[in-house]
Amino acid sequence: MKKILTFAIALVMVFALASTALAAGWDIVVDVPEMEDIKLDIDALGIKEEVVNDKFFNPNEDTMMVVLDKTYPVVEDDPVGAVVTVTFPKAAKISEDMQEWIKNGQLKLTISASNVELYEKVTEYNGAVRPKAVVDNECEIVFGEGAITEKGLKLYFMVYGLTDETKKDAKIIATLGVYNEWDDNNYFRWEVKGEDYLVVHGDEAFQVFTDDGSVVFPVVGAAEEADETSKIDVATPIKVVMNDKTYNVSKQVNNELAFEKDGVVYTSEDDEYEDLKAIFDEVFKVLGFTYEGVKYMSEEHFVEYFGTIMEYEVSKVWPSGYVVELSTVDPSIVPPQTGDNTSVVGFAMIVVALVAAVVLKKVRA
């Protein structure tokens, strides 16, 4: 009984912590569609000889890399490689929206890895060889207007590295997406259900614009230091701007919103109230937080929830070649001798089930 009670208390604590963490975010679910116009593929590569700086993957020549039908088990410091292929159809088959995003530099390919230390360069091939830098074990390639051609375009990106740990699978990931980002003027634009929105992060506030007005969220700290010092100023009222007039927002004793300008308070009985509250509600609805949740606003939140327009991911996994050595108390239980990972895992699950059954029997007794 004590064990059950302890377990229940632990669960309550976990859910309490999870609720606290979720409260710090915005209550919003964003549906991110997959890429349609542009095709993304990944193939595993086998290394035929030692890779050196002046040798690159060339799909039209017999180089040191060969495409594999499947991956192979790996341990620490094993070499792994992949070729990522991005295929652009001819311009006539690329949507107007996608062409606009490409011209704006919003289409990005990210190559990353798990349990693999990537070599310092990813090699792009398209008739010519162009190395791309790997930073923090990631390589980002931004596509521009040159990707839109009359006949279509196929680009190859060769990536390789060494595995880190023996007991983990190795994985190389390619993600192709269209993204919104903060620009050099501290502007961030996004779209929700056909409606365009803009937020400006200035030295004194985040200001979110709609077609009818804007909502101003005062901050403490300059925008250029946003990651470190720019936070919502909870001591200063939120403001609504409508028809070039600015109103302070407050809550009445009955928990109803009110808007104040030049000492005049506008409540639900006043003509201006409905339009002011409509602007306020639209911004809060699209951002997905409550009046009290405003303090969690940051540049990172906009990127997290509105930064991805569409995205598609492919990957290759090299399974761990580590073999588990099992030790059993009962000599009548013999581990599988095949060396097959699946058999070992299955056996381990049986052992766990047996132990659980014994514990359950003791408890019931």
Side-chain angles (χ1 to χ4, degrees):
M1 183 64 185
K2 287 183 178 179
K3 290 182 178 180
I4 295 173
L5 181 59
T6 302
F7 178 68
I9 292 173
L11 277 179
V12 171
M13 291 176 67
V14 167
F15 285 119
L17 290 172
S19 299
T20 303
L22 290 173
W26 292 354
D27 183 18
I28 184 171
V29 177
V30 180
D31 182 22
V32 178
E34 290 188 353
M35 191 73 57
E36 294 182 356
D37 296 0
I38 319 299
K39 188 178 179 183
L40 177 67
D41 296 293
I42 187 170
D43 293 291
L45 295 176
I47 301 176
K48 294 164 63 177
E49 58 181 276
E50 184 180 358
V51 176
V52 292
N53 293 352
D54 60 349
K55 289 193 174 183
F56 301 99
F57 172 73
N58 184 335
N60 299 322
E61 296 179 4
D62 183 19
T63 64
M64 74 288 183
M65 308 298 282
V66 58
V67 175
L68 302 177
D69 292 332
K70 60 181 181 179
T71 57
Y72 46 85
V74 293
V75 293
E76 185 178 358
D77 289 335
D78 273 350
V80 293
V83 58
V84 177
T85 307
V86 181
T87 305
F88 293 86
K90 55 187 179 181
K93 292 190 175 182
I94 301 178
S95 68
E96 291 183 6
D97 284 343
M98 180 60 74
Q99 291 198 33
E100 189 67 25
W101 289 325
I102 293 173
K103 291 174 183 177
N104 291 338
Q106 292 177 262
L107 179 65
K108 181 193 299 182
L109 170 68
T110 303
I111 299 174
S112 58
S114 172
N115 199 36
V116 177
E117 186 67 30
L118 297 180
Y119 175 60
E120 62 185 14
K121 294 177 183 177
V122 167
T123 305
E124 176 187 349
Y125 177 84
N126 176 34
V129 169
R130 289 180 289 272
K132 306 289 184 181
V134 172
V135 179
D136 295 331
N137 221 39
E138 282 191 356
C139 179
E140 292 186 350
I141 298 101
V142 178
F143 299 101
E145 194 168 356
I148 305 172
T149 63
E150 205 173 303
K151 297 182 179 180
L153 180 67
K154 183 172 284 192
L155 299 173
Y156 302 90
F157 300 89
M158 190 272 283
V159 54
Y160 61 91
L162 297 177
T163 56
D164 284 335
E165 296 183 37
T166 295
K167 299 180 183 180
K168 293 182 179 180
D169 293 346
K171 187 177 184 180
I172 294 179
I173 309 139
T175 307
L176 184 67
V178 179
Y179 305 98
N180 296 316
E181 295 181 343
W182 288 91
D183 65 20
D184 295 337
N185 296 315
N186 291 326
Y187 285 28
F188 184 93
R189 303 174 190 275
W190 78 100
E191 178 185 312
V192 177
K193 296 181 179 179
E195 297 293 330
D196 294 321
Y197 294 93
L198 163 68
V199 57
V200 178
H201 188 185
D203 289 339
E204 298 181 353
F206 284 100
Q207 186 166 5
V208 181
F209 292 84
T210 72
D211 289 341
D212 300 315
S214 65
V215 178
V216 179
F217 303 93
V219 298
V220 178
E224 59 266 21
E225 300 173 343
D227 293 337
E228 299 176 3
T229 65
S230 186
K231 302 181 185 299
I232 294 297
D233 183 358
V234 294
T236 303
I238 298 169
K239 298 172 174 57
V240 172
V241 179
M242 182 179 72
N243 299 328
D244 296 326
K245 296 178 182 179
T246 302
Y247 301 79
N248 291 326
V249 181
S250 63
K251 273 196 172 182
Q252 306 286 70
V253 291
N254 60 358
N255 214 33
E256 182 181 84
L257 288 179
F259 304 90
E260 179 272 329
K261 176 176 170 53
D262 298 331
V264 179
V265 178
Y266 299 87
T267 65
S268 56
E269 298 178 357
D270 297 298
D271 295 337
E272 295 89 341
Y273 185 86
E274 185 176 342
D275 292 336
L276 288 167
K277 192 170 184 300
I279 296 171
F280 180 92
D281 287 345
E282 180 179 357
V283 169
F284 273 73
K285 182 178 180 180
V286 75
L287 295 183
F289 55 55
T290 61
Y291 183 84
E292 291 75 15
V294 170
K295 60 184 177 182
Y296 300 112
M297 181 183 290
S298 67
E299 288 192 358
E300 289 75 16
H301 271 98
F302 287 95
V303 174
E304 173 71 21
Y305 292 103
F306 309 116
T308 303
I309 300 173
M310 61 178 59
E311 192 173 65
Y312 182 62
E313 180 181 293
V314 295
S315 62
K316 282 294 177 183
V317 176
W318 288 258
S320 168
Y322 178 72
V323 178
V324 181
E325 294 184 7
L326 294 178
S327 175
T328 61
V329 178
D330 187 345
S332 65
I333 300 177
V334 181
Q337 303 298 316
T338 62
D340 179 73
N341 280 345
T342 305
S343 300
V344 173
V345 172
F347 176 76
M349 292 177 68
I350 293 171
V351 173
V352 170
L354 289 173
V355 173
V358 172
V359 172
L360 182 60
K361 184 177 181 182
K362 286 183 178 179
V363 171
R364 286 180 175 174

